[in-house]
């Protein structure tokens, strides 16, 4: 399981960005591609562990699942993949490896603690 | 209650690994070494396969290997029998190699003196898929004893690899391995993937794979010289 080391990288990245902006974070928004190789449940669990004894302790990890989008040469357009077990165009069935989206593992946004907003 | 304030940061979590992997790839290109990484489940016969590869390629090429092992394993000792330079990377509890570990392991090696470098990842079909090691070619191994639907169970790693190697073919009949079904599974998760079916034990199918490696190496050398 590599989710703990991924979670630690997420915490590091979020802390660095928060520090640079001088904000306190209540939640971290993550974009997680279906092809990222990261298991969401394991990541959520690991996140709590990775936050311990850091300024992010008690913060939430909000994961946005990013589906795979491929480009179909036959249809000449982007198509949403139905399953990562079948790399074929859902419309015409042509096999495709032209991945346009789905490998994301990105700290997308930070949610600022409310008491600070009020101040 | 007001909406919580969101600050957009857009930061790639594995950026550090990707930056090092890119530097490694450039270093490999500049020194003309062709780098092949291997991923598989434990028990796929990866070490036997790599030992054969090192022994076979050695007369014609200057070969070496990096081996990622959990603290409890030691494949490097076995591979050293091939007489090729082999270095172990002990990952401790970490279940995959990262680009920085490869970079550290190579720090005191002169890549100019190498043609082919093999990197054996830790036996694991999940975690290594997220980490680019700067390799030219990623091989994913599965043995005939693991079941034809293995690619469907681990689509991400098969998708991230370039070539599939089906090992232990000498056991295919005994386990009633359904080749057509395995081929379909692979093509479903990774259309166009090249597949080699072989036995490191009997040598069956190995020549074809060695020829393939030689061609890949020659192509990379040709490109690097331009
Ligand atoms: Zn189509």
């Amino acid at each position: 399981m590599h989710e703990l080391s991924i979670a630690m990288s997420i915490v590091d990245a979020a802390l660095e960005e928060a520090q640079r902006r001088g904000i306190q974070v209540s939640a971290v928004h993550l974009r997680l591609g279906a092809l990222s190789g990261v298991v969401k449940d394991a990541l959520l669990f690991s996140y709590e562990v990775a936050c311990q004894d850091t300024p992010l302790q008690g913060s939430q990890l909000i994961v946005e699942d990013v589906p795979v989008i491929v480009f179909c040469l036959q249809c000449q357009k982007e198509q949403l993949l139905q399953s990562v077990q079948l790399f074929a165009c859902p419309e015409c069935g042509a096999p495709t490896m032209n991945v346009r989206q789905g490998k994301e593992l990105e700290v997308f946004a930070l949610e600022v603690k409310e008491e600070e907003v009020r101040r | 209650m007001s909406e919580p304030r969101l600050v957009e940061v857009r930061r790639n979590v594995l950026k550090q690994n990707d930056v090092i992997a890119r530097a490694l790839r450039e270093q490999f290109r500049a020194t003309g070494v062709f780098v092949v990484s291997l991923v598989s489940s434990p028990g796929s016969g990866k070490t036997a396969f790599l030992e054969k590869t090192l022994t076979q390629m050695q007369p014609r090429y200057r070969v070496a290997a990096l081996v990622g092992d959990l603290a409890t394993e030691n494949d490097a000792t076995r591979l050293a029998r091939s007489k090729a330079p082999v270095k172990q990377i002990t990952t401790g509890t970490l279940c995959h190699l990262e680009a920085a570990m490869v970079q550290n392991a190579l720090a005191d090696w002169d890549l100019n003196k190498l043609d082919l470098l093999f990197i054996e990842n830790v036996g694991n079909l999940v975690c290594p898929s997220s980490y680019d090691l700067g390799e030219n070619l990623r091989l994913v191994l599965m043995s005939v004893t693991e079941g034809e639907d293995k690619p469907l169970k681990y689509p991400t790693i098969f998708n991230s690899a370039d070539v599939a190697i089906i090992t232990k073919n000498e056991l295919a009949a005994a386990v009633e391995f359904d080749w057509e079904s395995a081929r379909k599974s692979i093509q479903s998760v990774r259309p166009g993937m090249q597949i080699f079916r072989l036995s490191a034990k009997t040598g069956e199918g190995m020549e074809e794979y060695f020829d393939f490696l030689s061609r890949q190496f020659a192509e990379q050398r040709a490109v690097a010289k331009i």
Side-chain angles (χ1 to χ4, degrees), chain A residues 69-101:
Chain A
I69 288 177
V70 292
F71 184 80
C72 177
L73 265 180
Q74 209 125 299
C75 300
Q76 280 297 309
K77 65 176 178 190
E78 292 187 342
Q79 299 277 18
L80 191 67
L81 211 64
Q82 307 294 304
S83 154
V84 290
Q85 293 179 328
L86 181 59
F87 275 76
C89 171
E91 217 170 297
C92 72
T96 173
M97 266 299 289
N98 198 333
V99 176
R100 292 283 166 91
Q101 177 195 286

PDB file of all heavy atoms in Angstrom, chain A residues 69-101:
ATOM      1  N   ILE A  69     -10.986  10.099 -19.800  1.00  0.00           N
ATOM      2  CA  ILE A  69     -11.496  10.558 -21.093  1.00  0.00           C
ATOM      3  C   ILE A  69     -10.467  10.193 -22.144  1.00  0.00           C
ATOM      4  O   ILE A  69      -9.271  10.430 -21.972  1.00  0.00           O
ATOM      5  CB  ILE A  69     -11.761  12.087 -21.083  1.00  0.00           C
ATOM      6  CG1 ILE A  69     -13.000  12.383 -20.223  1.00  0.00           C
ATOM      7  CG2 ILE A  69     -11.968  12.611 -22.500  1.00  0.00           C
ATOM      8  CD1 ILE A  69     -13.333  13.847 -20.076  1.00  0.00           C
ATOM      9  N   VAL A  70     -10.945   9.549 -23.210  1.00  0.00           N
ATOM     10  CA  VAL A  70     -10.058   9.166 -24.302  1.00  0.00           C
ATOM     11  C   VAL A  70     -10.477   9.909 -25.567  1.00  0.00           C
ATOM     12  O   VAL A  70     -11.596  10.415 -25.653  1.00  0.00           O
ATOM     13  CB  VAL A  70     -10.107   7.640 -24.576  1.00  0.00           C
ATOM     14  CG1 VAL A  70      -9.503   6.864 -23.432  1.00  0.00           C
ATOM     15  CG2 VAL A  70     -11.529   7.177 -24.849  1.00  0.00           C
ATOM     16  N   PHE A  71      -9.560   9.959 -26.531  1.00  0.00           N
ATOM     17  CA  PHE A  71      -9.919  10.534 -27.814  1.00  0.00           C
ATOM     18  C   PHE A  71     -10.129   9.387 -28.790  1.00  0.00           C
ATOM     19  O   PHE A  71      -9.267   8.524 -28.932  1.00  0.00           O
ATOM     20  CB  PHE A  71      -8.819  11.463 -28.322  1.00  0.00           C
ATOM     21  CG  PHE A  71      -9.185  12.149 -29.601  1.00  0.00           C
ATOM     22  CD1 PHE A  71     -10.019  13.265 -29.594  1.00  0.00           C
ATOM     23  CD2 PHE A  71      -8.719  11.669 -30.826  1.00  0.00           C
ATOM     24  CE1 PHE A  71     -10.377  13.894 -30.780  1.00  0.00           C
ATOM     25  CE2 PHE A  71      -9.083  12.287 -32.012  1.00  0.00           C
ATOM     26  CZ  PHE A  71      -9.917  13.406 -31.988  1.00  0.00           C
ATOM     27  N   CYS A  72     -11.282   9.356 -29.433  1.00  0.00           N
ATOM     28  CA  CYS A  72     -11.553   8.306 -30.412  1.00  0.00           C
ATOM     29  C   CYS A  72     -11.231   8.834 -31.807  1.00  0.00           C
ATOM     30  O   CYS A  72     -11.805   9.827 -32.244  1.00  0.00           O
ATOM     31  CB  CYS A  72     -13.003   7.844 -30.346  1.00  0.00           C
ATOM     32  SG  CYS A  72     -13.354   6.609 -31.624  1.00  0.00           S
ATOM     33  N   LEU A  73     -10.302   8.144 -32.464  1.00  0.00           N
ATOM     34  CA  LEU A  73      -9.889   8.566 -33.815  1.00  0.00           C
ATOM     35  C   LEU A  73     -11.032   8.405 -34.806  1.00  0.00           C
ATOM     36  O   LEU A  73     -11.218   9.217 -35.703  1.00  0.00           O
ATOM     37  CB  LEU A  73      -8.714   7.712 -34.286  1.00  0.00           C
ATOM     38  CG  LEU A  73      -7.315   8.275 -34.045  1.00  0.00           C
ATOM     39  CD1 LEU A  73      -6.259   7.325 -34.569  1.00  0.00           C
ATOM     40  CD2 LEU A  73      -7.159   9.651 -34.699  1.00  0.00           C
ATOM     41  N   GLN A  74     -11.781   7.327 -34.607  1.00  0.00           N
ATOM     42  CA  GLN A  74     -12.885   7.027 -35.516  1.00  0.00           C
ATOM     43  C   GLN A  74     -13.983   8.096 -35.442  1.00  0.00           C
ATOM     44  O   GLN A  74     -14.465   8.584 -36.440  1.00  0.00           O
ATOM     45  CB  GLN A  74     -13.489   5.678 -35.147  1.00  0.00           C
ATOM     46  CG  GLN A  74     -14.096   4.960 -36.307  1.00  0.00           C
ATOM     47  CD  GLN A  74     -13.482   3.570 -36.416  1.00  0.00           C
ATOM     48  OE1 GLN A  74     -12.272   3.414 -36.605  1.00  0.00           O
ATOM     49  NE2 GLN A  74     -14.314   2.558 -36.245  1.00  0.00           N
ATOM     50  N   CYS A  75     -14.378   8.434 -34.210  1.00  0.00           N
ATOM     51  CA  CYS A  75     -15.460   9.416 -34.014  1.00  0.00           C
ATOM     52  C   CYS A  75     -14.913  10.849 -34.056  1.00  0.00           C
ATOM     53  O   CYS A  75     -15.686  11.795 -34.085  1.00  0.00           O
ATOM     54  CB  CYS A  75     -16.148   9.201 -32.674  1.00  0.00           C
ATOM     55  SG  CYS A  75     -16.889   7.587 -32.470  1.00  0.00           S
ATOM     56  N   GLN A  76     -13.589  10.978 -33.990  1.00  0.00           N
ATOM     57  CA  GLN A  76     -12.953  12.300 -33.985  1.00  0.00           C
ATOM     58  C   GLN A  76     -13.451  13.183 -32.836  1.00  0.00           C
ATOM     59  O   GLN A  76     -13.698  14.368 -33.021  1.00  0.00           O
ATOM     60  CB  GLN A  76     -13.165  13.004 -35.338  1.00  0.00           C
ATOM     61  CG  GLN A  76     -12.206  12.536 -36.427  1.00  0.00           C
ATOM     62  CD  GLN A  76     -10.746  12.827 -36.107  1.00  0.00           C
ATOM     63  OE1 GLN A  76     -10.385  13.943 -35.771  1.00  0.00           O
ATOM     64  NE2 GLN A  76      -9.901  11.808 -36.176  1.00  0.00           N
ATOM     65  N   LYS A  77     -13.629  12.554 -31.668  1.00  0.00           N
ATOM     66  CA  LYS A  77     -13.994  13.359 -30.514  1.00  0.00           C
ATOM     67  C   LYS A  77     -13.623  12.667 -29.202  1.00  0.00           C
ATOM     68  O   LYS A  77     -13.324  11.474 -29.185  1.00  0.00           O
ATOM     69  CB  LYS A  77     -15.479  13.707 -30.544  1.00  0.00           C
ATOM     70  CG  LYS A  77     -16.416  12.533 -30.416  1.00  0.00           C
ATOM     71  CD  LYS A  77     -17.859  13.022 -30.363  1.00  0.00           C
ATOM     72  CE  LYS A  77     -18.801  11.842 -30.274  1.00  0.00           C
ATOM     73  NZ  LYS A  77     -20.189  12.155 -30.449  1.00  0.00           N
ATOM     74  N   GLU A  78     -13.659  13.432 -28.128  1.00  0.00           N
ATOM     75  CA  GLU A  78     -13.356  12.880 -26.814  1.00  0.00           C
ATOM     76  C   GLU A  78     -14.544  12.083 -26.306  1.00  0.00           C
ATOM     77  O   GLU A  78     -15.698  12.458 -26.544  1.00  0.00           O
ATOM     78  CB  GLU A  78     -13.010  14.017 -25.840  1.00  0.00           C
ATOM     79  CG  GLU A  78     -11.699  14.689 -26.192  1.00  0.00           C
ATOM     80  CD  GLU A  78     -11.244  15.699 -25.150  1.00  0.00           C
ATOM     81  OE1 GLU A  78     -12.090  16.123 -24.341  1.00  0.00           O
ATOM     82  OE2 GLU A  78     -10.049  16.050 -25.152  1.00  0.00           O
ATOM     83  N   GLN A  79     -14.228  10.990 -25.630  1.00  0.00           N
ATOM     84  CA  GLN A  79     -15.287  10.123 -25.119  1.00  0.00           C
ATOM     85  C   GLN A  79     -14.986   9.753 -23.674  1.00  0.00           C
ATOM     86  O   GLN A  79     -13.832   9.565 -23.298  1.00  0.00           O
ATOM     87  CB  GLN A  79     -15.358   8.833 -25.949  1.00  0.00           C
ATOM     88  CG  GLN A  79     -15.682   9.036 -27.419  1.00  0.00           C
ATOM     89  CD  GLN A  79     -17.174   9.184 -27.679  1.00  0.00           C
ATOM     90  OE1 GLN A  79     -17.950   9.474 -26.762  1.00  0.00           O
ATOM     91  NE2 GLN A  79     -17.581   9.014 -28.922  1.00  0.00           N
ATOM     92  N   LEU A  80     -16.035   9.629 -22.895  1.00  0.00           N
ATOM     93  CA  LEU A  80     -15.903   9.234 -21.495  1.00  0.00           C
ATOM     94  C   LEU A  80     -15.820   7.706 -21.429  1.00  0.00           C
ATOM     95  O   LEU A  80     -16.711   7.008 -21.917  1.00  0.00           O
ATOM     96  CB  LEU A  80     -17.136   9.723 -20.738  1.00  0.00           C
ATOM     97  CG  LEU A  80     -17.100   9.640 -19.218  1.00  0.00           C
ATOM     98  CD1 LEU A  80     -16.065  10.602 -18.654  1.00  0.00           C
ATOM     99  CD2 LEU A  80     -18.483   9.981 -18.655  1.00  0.00           C
ATOM    100  N   LEU A  81     -14.729   7.203 -20.846  1.00  0.00           N
ATOM    101  CA  LEU A  81     -14.554   5.753 -20.741  1.00  0.00           C
ATOM    102  C   LEU A  81     -15.511   5.199 -19.683  1.00  0.00           C
ATOM    103  O   LEU A  81     -15.639   5.757 -18.604  1.00  0.00           O
ATOM    104  CB  LEU A  81     -13.106   5.468 -20.348  1.00  0.00           C
ATOM    105  CG  LEU A  81     -12.489   4.178 -20.857  1.00  0.00           C
ATOM    106  CD1 LEU A  81     -12.406   4.202 -22.378  1.00  0.00           C
ATOM    107  CD2 LEU A  81     -11.089   4.022 -20.279  1.00  0.00           C
ATOM    108  N   GLN A  82     -16.174   4.100 -20.006  1.00  0.00           N
ATOM    109  CA  GLN A  82     -17.135   3.528 -19.062  1.00  0.00           C
ATOM    110  C   GLN A  82     -16.427   2.773 -17.937  1.00  0.00           C
ATOM    111  O   GLN A  82     -16.908   2.725 -16.817  1.00  0.00           O
ATOM    112  CB  GLN A  82     -18.094   2.571 -19.788  1.00  0.00           C
ATOM    113  CG  GLN A  82     -18.772   3.194 -20.999  1.00  0.00           C
ATOM    114  CD  GLN A  82     -19.705   4.327 -20.608  1.00  0.00           C
ATOM    115  OE1 GLN A  82     -20.607   4.152 -19.814  1.00  0.00           O
ATOM    116  NE2 GLN A  82     -19.451   5.525 -21.147  1.00  0.00           N
ATOM    117  N   SER A  83     -15.288   2.177 -18.271  1.00  0.00           N
ATOM    118  CA  SER A  83     -14.579   1.359 -17.285  1.00  0.00           C
ATOM    119  C   SER A  83     -13.104   1.311 -17.636  1.00  0.00           C
ATOM    120  O   SER A  83     -12.745   1.286 -18.816  1.00  0.00           O
ATOM    121  CB  SER A  83     -15.165  -0.056 -17.288  1.00  0.00           C
ATOM    122  OG  SER A  83     -14.198  -0.984 -16.858  1.00  0.00           O
ATOM    123  N   VAL A  84     -12.240   1.293 -16.598  1.00  0.00           N
ATOM    124  CA  VAL A  84     -10.807   1.200 -16.889  1.00  0.00           C
ATOM    125  C   VAL A  84     -10.429  -0.231 -17.306  1.00  0.00           C
ATOM    126  O   VAL A  84      -9.277  -0.514 -17.586  1.00  0.00           O
ATOM    127  CB  VAL A  84      -9.924   1.636 -15.683  1.00  0.00           C
ATOM    128  CG1 VAL A  84     -10.033   3.133 -15.461  1.00  0.00           C
ATOM    129  CG2 VAL A  84     -10.272   0.862 -14.432  1.00  0.00           C
ATOM    130  N   GLN A  85     -11.421  -1.111 -17.339  1.00  0.00           N
ATOM    131  CA  GLN A  85     -11.155  -2.475 -17.812  1.00  0.00           C
ATOM    132  C   GLN A  85     -11.375  -2.595 -19.316  1.00  0.00           C
ATOM    133  O   GLN A  85     -11.154  -3.646 -19.904  1.00  0.00           O
ATOM    134  CB  GLN A  85     -12.068  -3.474 -17.092  1.00  0.00           C
ATOM    135  CG  GLN A  85     -11.749  -3.597 -15.614  1.00  0.00           C
ATOM    136  CD  GLN A  85     -12.680  -4.561 -14.923  1.00  0.00           C
ATOM    137  OE1 GLN A  85     -13.833  -4.685 -15.289  1.00  0.00           O
ATOM    138  NE2 GLN A  85     -12.164  -5.265 -13.933  1.00  0.00           N
ATOM    139  N   LEU A  86     -11.892  -1.531 -19.915  1.00  0.00           N
ATOM    140  CA  LEU A  86     -12.171  -1.602 -21.346  1.00  0.00           C
ATOM    141  C   LEU A  86     -11.818  -0.280 -22.016  1.00  0.00           C
ATOM    142  O   LEU A  86     -12.589   0.679 -21.964  1.00  0.00           O
ATOM    143  CB  LEU A  86     -13.656  -1.940 -21.576  1.00  0.00           C
ATOM    144  CG  LEU A  86     -14.087  -2.081 -23.035  1.00  0.00           C
ATOM    145  CD1 LEU A  86     -13.305  -3.174 -23.745  1.00  0.00           C
ATOM    146  CD2 LEU A  86     -15.575  -2.345 -23.125  1.00  0.00           C
ATOM    147  N   PHE A  87     -10.624  -0.276 -22.640  1.00  0.00           N
ATOM    148  CA  PHE A  87     -10.177   0.927 -23.338  1.00  0.00           C
ATOM    149  C   PHE A  87     -10.686   0.925 -24.769  1.00  0.00           C
ATOM    150  O   PHE A  87      -9.937   0.696 -25.712  1.00  0.00           O
ATOM    151  CB  PHE A  87      -8.655   1.065 -23.267  1.00  0.00           C
ATOM    152  CG  PHE A  87      -8.204   1.742 -22.013  1.00  0.00           C
ATOM    153  CD1 PHE A  87      -8.192   1.053 -20.804  1.00  0.00           C
ATOM    154  CD2 PHE A  87      -7.844   3.077 -22.009  1.00  0.00           C
ATOM    155  CE1 PHE A  87      -7.825   1.684 -19.633  1.00  0.00           C
ATOM    156  CE2 PHE A  87      -7.465   3.718 -20.841  1.00  0.00           C
ATOM    157  CZ  PHE A  87      -7.460   3.022 -19.651  1.00  0.00           C
ATOM    158  N   ALA A  88     -11.977   1.197 -24.886  1.00  0.00           N
ATOM    159  CA  ALA A  88     -12.603   1.251 -26.200  1.00  0.00           C
ATOM    160  C   ALA A  88     -13.636   2.363 -26.183  1.00  0.00           C
ATOM    161  O   ALA A  88     -14.218   2.674 -25.141  1.00  0.00           O
ATOM    162  CB  ALA A  88     -13.252  -0.082 -26.523  1.00  0.00           C
ATOM    163  N   CYS A  89     -13.868   2.938 -27.362  1.00  0.00           N
ATOM    164  CA  CYS A  89     -14.842   4.022 -27.476  1.00  0.00           C
ATOM    165  C   CYS A  89     -16.241   3.497 -27.145  1.00  0.00           C
ATOM    166  O   CYS A  89     -16.665   2.482 -27.687  1.00  0.00           O
ATOM    167  CB  CYS A  89     -14.804   4.569 -28.905  1.00  0.00           C
ATOM    168  SG  CYS A  89     -16.128   5.741 -29.242  1.00  0.00           S
ATOM    169  N   PRO A  90     -16.953   4.166 -26.231  1.00  0.00           N
ATOM    170  CA  PRO A  90     -18.285   3.689 -25.845  1.00  0.00           C
ATOM    171  C   PRO A  90     -19.300   3.826 -26.992  1.00  0.00           C
ATOM    172  O   PRO A  90     -20.345   3.184 -26.965  1.00  0.00           O
ATOM    173  CB  PRO A  90     -18.663   4.600 -24.673  1.00  0.00           C
ATOM    174  CG  PRO A  90     -17.807   5.801 -24.807  1.00  0.00           C
ATOM    175  CD  PRO A  90     -16.546   5.361 -25.490  1.00  0.00           C
ATOM    176  N   GLU A  91     -18.958   4.635 -27.989  1.00  0.00           N
ATOM    177  CA  GLU A  91     -19.910   4.857 -29.074  1.00  0.00           C
ATOM    178  C   GLU A  91     -19.705   3.875 -30.231  1.00  0.00           C
ATOM    179  O   GLU A  91     -20.640   3.223 -30.663  1.00  0.00           O
ATOM    180  CB  GLU A  91     -19.752   6.303 -29.577  1.00  0.00           C
ATOM    181  CG  GLU A  91     -21.046   6.960 -29.977  1.00  0.00           C
ATOM    182  CD  GLU A  91     -20.837   8.450 -30.235  1.00  0.00           C
ATOM    183  OE1 GLU A  91     -20.471   9.171 -29.274  1.00  0.00           O
ATOM    184  OE2 GLU A  91     -21.022   8.874 -31.381  1.00  0.00           O
ATOM    185  N   CYS A  92     -18.456   3.781 -30.699  1.00  0.00           N
ATOM    186  CA  CYS A  92     -18.207   2.945 -31.884  1.00  0.00           C
ATOM    187  C   CYS A  92     -17.437   1.670 -31.559  1.00  0.00           C
ATOM    188  O   CYS A  92     -17.295   0.801 -32.411  1.00  0.00           O
ATOM    189  CB  CYS A  92     -17.472   3.742 -32.946  1.00  0.00           C
ATOM    190  SG  CYS A  92     -15.756   4.048 -32.514  1.00  0.00           S
ATOM    191  N   GLY A  93     -16.922   1.565 -30.341  1.00  0.00           N
ATOM    192  CA  GLY A  93     -16.230   0.339 -29.952  1.00  0.00           C
ATOM    193  C   GLY A  93     -14.769   0.257 -30.360  1.00  0.00           C
ATOM    194  O   GLY A  93     -14.100  -0.734 -30.057  1.00  0.00           O
ATOM    195  N   ALA A  94     -14.255   1.275 -31.043  1.00  0.00           N
ATOM    196  CA  ALA A  94     -12.854   1.228 -31.474  1.00  0.00           C
ATOM    197  C   ALA A  94     -11.914   1.281 -30.269  1.00  0.00           C
ATOM    198  O   ALA A  94     -12.100   2.107 -29.383  1.00  0.00           O
ATOM    199  CB  ALA A  94     -12.568   2.404 -32.413  1.00  0.00           C
ATOM    200  N   PRO A  95     -10.900   0.387 -30.242  1.00  0.00           N
ATOM    201  CA  PRO A  95      -9.940   0.440 -29.134  1.00  0.00           C
ATOM    202  C   PRO A  95      -9.152   1.744 -29.188  1.00  0.00           C
ATOM    203  O   PRO A  95      -8.869   2.240 -30.290  1.00  0.00           O
ATOM    204  CB  PRO A  95      -9.001  -0.739 -29.404  1.00  0.00           C
ATOM    205  CG  PRO A  95      -9.635  -1.539 -30.483  1.00  0.00           C
ATOM    206  CD  PRO A  95     -10.572  -0.650 -31.230  1.00  0.00           C
ATOM    207  N   THR A  96      -8.833   2.286 -28.040  1.00  0.00           N
ATOM    208  CA  THR A  96      -8.050   3.523 -28.030  1.00  0.00           C
ATOM    209  C   THR A  96      -7.187   3.607 -26.785  1.00  0.00           C
ATOM    210  O   THR A  96      -7.576   3.173 -25.710  1.00  0.00           O
ATOM    211  CB  THR A  96      -8.950   4.782 -28.112  1.00  0.00           C
ATOM    212  OG1 THR A  96      -8.142   5.935 -27.931  1.00  0.00           O
ATOM    213  CG2 THR A  96     -10.029   4.771 -27.053  1.00  0.00           C
ATOM    214  N   MET A  97      -5.979   4.162 -26.970  1.00  0.00           N
ATOM    215  CA  MET A  97      -5.067   4.372 -25.841  1.00  0.00           C
ATOM    216  C   MET A  97      -4.741   5.853 -25.729  1.00  0.00           C
ATOM    217  O   MET A  97      -3.828   6.241 -25.025  1.00  0.00           O
ATOM    218  CB  MET A  97      -3.775   3.579 -26.073  1.00  0.00           C
ATOM    219  CG  MET A  97      -3.768   2.211 -25.433  1.00  0.00           C
ATOM    220  SD  MET A  97      -3.932   2.305 -23.635  1.00  0.00           S
ATOM    221  CE  MET A  97      -2.320   2.978 -23.218  1.00  0.00           C
ATOM    222  N   ASN A  98      -5.492   6.649 -26.446  1.00  0.00           N
ATOM    223  CA  ASN A  98      -5.244   8.080 -26.467  1.00  0.00           C
ATOM    224  C   ASN A  98      -5.931   8.737 -25.258  1.00  0.00           C
ATOM    225  O   ASN A  98      -7.046   9.244 -25.355  1.00  0.00           O
ATOM    226  CB  ASN A  98      -5.787   8.636 -27.787  1.00  0.00           C
ATOM    227  CG  ASN A  98      -5.220   9.998 -28.107  1.00  0.00           C
ATOM    228  OD1 ASN A  98      -4.850  10.745 -27.190  1.00  0.00           O
ATOM    229  ND2 ASN A  98      -5.168  10.336 -29.380  1.00  0.00           N
ATOM    230  N   VAL A  99      -5.242   8.692 -24.114  1.00  0.00           N
ATOM    231  CA  VAL A  99      -5.836   9.153 -22.858  1.00  0.00           C
ATOM    232  C   VAL A  99      -5.694  10.674 -22.719  1.00  0.00           C
ATOM    233  O   VAL A  99      -4.596  11.209 -22.794  1.00  0.00           O
ATOM    234  CB  VAL A  99      -5.184   8.442 -21.654  1.00  0.00           C
ATOM    235  CG1 VAL A  99      -5.731   8.982 -20.347  1.00  0.00           C
ATOM    236  CG2 VAL A  99      -5.429   6.944 -21.746  1.00  0.00           C
ATOM    237  N   ARG A 100      -6.802  11.333 -22.524  1.00  0.00           N
ATOM    238  CA  ARG A 100      -6.783  12.796 -22.392  1.00  0.00           C
ATOM    239  C   ARG A 100      -6.931  13.228 -20.934  1.00  0.00           C
ATOM    240  O   ARG A 100      -6.599  14.330 -20.557  1.00  0.00           O
ATOM    241  CB  ARG A 100      -7.930  13.407 -23.219  1.00  0.00           C
ATOM    242  CG  ARG A 100      -7.757  13.251 -24.710  1.00  0.00           C
ATOM    243  CD  ARG A 100      -6.740  14.264 -25.231  1.00  0.00           C
ATOM    244  NE  ARG A 100      -6.302  13.962 -26.578  1.00  0.00           N
ATOM    245  CZ  ARG A 100      -6.885  14.446 -27.684  1.00  0.00           C
ATOM    246  NH1 ARG A 100      -7.939  15.211 -27.588  1.00  0.00           N
ATOM    247  NH2 ARG A 100      -6.412  14.130 -28.869  1.00  0.00           N
ATOM    248  N   GLN A 101      -7.501  12.381 -20.121  1.00  0.00           N
ATOM    249  CA  GLN A 101      -7.737  12.715 -18.721  1.00  0.00           C
ATOM    250  C   GLN A 101      -7.892  11.429 -17.923  1.00  0.00           C
ATOM    251  O   GLN A 101      -8.353  10.424 -18.451  1.00  0.00           O
ATOM    252  CB  GLN A 101      -9.036  13.538 -18.624  1.00  0.00           C
ATOM    253  CG  GLN A 101      -9.447  13.893 -17.208  1.00  0.00           C
ATOM    254  CD  GLN A 101     -10.883  14.377 -17.121  1.00  0.00           C
ATOM    255  OE1 GLN A 101     -11.197  15.476 -17.509  1.00  0.00           O
ATOM    256  NE2 GLN A 101     -11.776  13.517 -16.608  1.00  0.00           N
TER     257      GLN A 101
END
